[in-house]
Amino acid sequence: MSDVAERVKKIVVEHLGVEEDKVTENASFIDDLGADSLDTVELVMAFEEEFGIEIPDDAAEKILTVKDAISFITKAEG
Amino acid sequence: MFDLTDKCALVTGASGGIGSAIAKALAAMGAKVALSGTRREALDAVAAEIGAAHPGRACVVPANLSDPAATDRLAAEAEAALGRIDILVNNAGLTRDGLAMRMKDDDWQTVIDVNLTAAFRLTRAVMRGMMKRRFGRVIAISSVVGVTGNPGQANYAASKAGLIGMSKALAQELASRGITVNCVAPGMIETAMTGVLNEEQRQRMFASIPAGRFGSPEDVAAAVAFLAAEEAAYVTGQTIHVNGGMAMI
């Protein structure tokens, strides 16, 4: 697993208080991990902080799963 | 009755009559309080008074809320000074009265900027920490004229009504995180702001107030103290009117 994926999953586990094995790449924040709309805003802000990037609102709206987050951040970092 | 031991509060406009009474009330309940305002000396005097009664419970963080950058800095400085902010009291406010026909753009904008926009910016800055800790109390000092209107105060009434609408929206956004957002709406209170009225004007005002007198800053502070307490956890999106019955809403 890439370093980005590792760090993304760690943030998700911490913020949503879910078991690590539930945080699969295809897991949806809202449908599978029990996040509400505020949680998703908090997650995006946590990603921004952790990776030192800016995630615009229109991009943030499309980050629905763990995989979405990892691929956006990988691209933004690259 | 209410205990705020170990809670940290930021009060804006803390050198004024109502602001200093709020800061003193919160400190008396055990909170550590950061006092903000533009007049450093006046803030130092309030801090010294609080410090004499409750050592170590007051610090001063001056800021000019008409400057957006200074507003953002204030949130960071207060958090640095206190460690965190559990209670935010958006009390700072000013008036630039005049009939609308003659009101300058600048008089409108300054009042909206300081009374409303700065309150939003400060609240936005502190809500993240409150969300993480699952506890927060945001209290805005509105005004009876935000609900009733008042000739000569289109700008002030708009800013104070704006605080009520903003608080209701934020209350809905943040309720699930243990953060309550409420307003206290004072009527006529004995402060510098009402000190400009002459005796005839005062007597005329008294006639329209069932209590027959102006309120004290402590009357307002008591309502704020209640909303800041753990016990007020189920009160959110509300406005407590402290006006001697002048307007019953």
Side-chain angles (χ1 to χ4, degrees):
Chain A
M1 202 186 333
S2 74
D3 174 51
V4 170
E6 227 23 287
R7 285 155 73 192
V8 164
K9 286 185 182 179
K10 186 160 173 280
I11 288 172
V12 174
V13 168
E14 274 172 15
H15 274 260
L16 300 181
V18 290
E19 297 292 324
E20 211 173 329
D21 57 3
K22 287 214 173 134
V23 187
T24 61
E25 298 225 338
N26 288 320
S28 152
F29 295 124
I30 290 174
D31 296 333
D32 301 319
L33 302 176
D36 63 16
S37 60
L38 263 188
D39 288 319
T40 60
V41 173
E42 275 189 287
L43 275 177
V44 164
M45 290 173 78
F47 294 147
E48 289 180 326
E49 212 166 84
E50 168 76 19
F51 295 98
I53 56 171
E54 193 161 323
I55 306 178
D57 285 347
D58 53 347
E61 275 169 30
K62 293 187 194 115
I63 299 178
L64 304 174
T65 65
V66 176
K67 191 160 68 184
D68 294 340
I70 295 169
S71 55
F72 180 89
I73 292 161
T74 308
K75 255 186 238 157
E77 281 207 311
Chain B
M1 174 179 182
F2 301 125
D3 182 26
L4 294 178
T5 305
D6 295 333
K7 293 281 192 287
C8 299
L10 168 61
V11 179
T12 67
S15 61
I18 291 176
S20 61
I22 291 168
K24 287 174 197 167
L26 297 180
M29 291 159 71
K32 281 201 290 178
V33 185
L35 312 169
S36 188
T38 51
R39 295 177 294 143
R40 171 103 216 188
E41 275 180 23
L43 291 170
D44 283 340
V46 178
E49 205 180 318
I50 292 173
H54 314 286
R57 286 198 205 152
C59 63
V60 169
V61 279
N64 179 357
L65 297 183
S66 62
D67 173 3
T71 308
D72 294 343
R73 259 199 320 275
L74 168 60
E77 281 174 15
E79 266 182 351
L82 297 174
R84 62 176 195 278
I85 297 171
D86 305 303
I87 301 160
L88 170 64
V89 184
N90 285 309
N91 166 72
L94 46 79
T95 55
R96 291 278 187 279
D97 295 355
L99 293 176
M101 289 279 288
R102 303 273 299 162
M103 188 175 285
K104 304 274 186 293
D105 286 351
D106 190 47
D107 292 333
W108 171 271
Q109 201 57 50
T110 303
V111 169
I112 297 293
D113 285 350
V114 172
N115 296 11
L116 180 59
T117 308
F120 172 71
R121 295 182 73 97
L122 271 182
T123 307
R124 185 178 58 187
V126 303
M127 67 171 67
R128 199 158 173 214
M130 291 178 175
M131 282 171 66
K132 280 194 180 151
R133 292 186 298 274
R134 295 291 192 265
F135 179 89
R137 297 282 183 267
V138 179
I139 301 152
I141 305 306
S142 178
S143 165
V144 63
V145 308
V147 178
T148 63
N150 194 28
Q153 292 198 307
N155 48 2
Y156 187 76
S159 73
K160 295 300 185 178
L163 286 172
I164 293 175
M166 179 182 85
S167 297
K168 289 178 179 177
L170 295 177
Q172 293 180 43
E173 289 188 18
L174 300 171
S176 66
R177 297 302 192 275
I179 302 169
T180 67
V181 188
N182 293 287
C183 290
V184 171
M188 301 305 288
I189 307 295
E190 300 280 7
T191 65
M193 212 182 261
T194 54
V196 298
L197 299 171
N198 62 36
E199 194 50 35
E200 191 197 330
Q201 288 171 313
R202 285 170 62 89
Q203 291 302 332
R204 212 168 337 121
M205 297 294 317
F206 291 162
S208 67
I209 303 169
R213 61 176 177 88
F214 286 3
S216 70
E218 289 72 26
D219 290 328
V220 180
V224 173
F226 163 66
L227 291 171
E230 296 263 8
E231 286 84 347
Y234 204 54
V235 180
T236 195
Q238 307 301 319
T239 300
I240 298 184
H241 290 268
V242 181
N243 62 27
M246 178 184 178
M248 301 188 190
I249 298 119

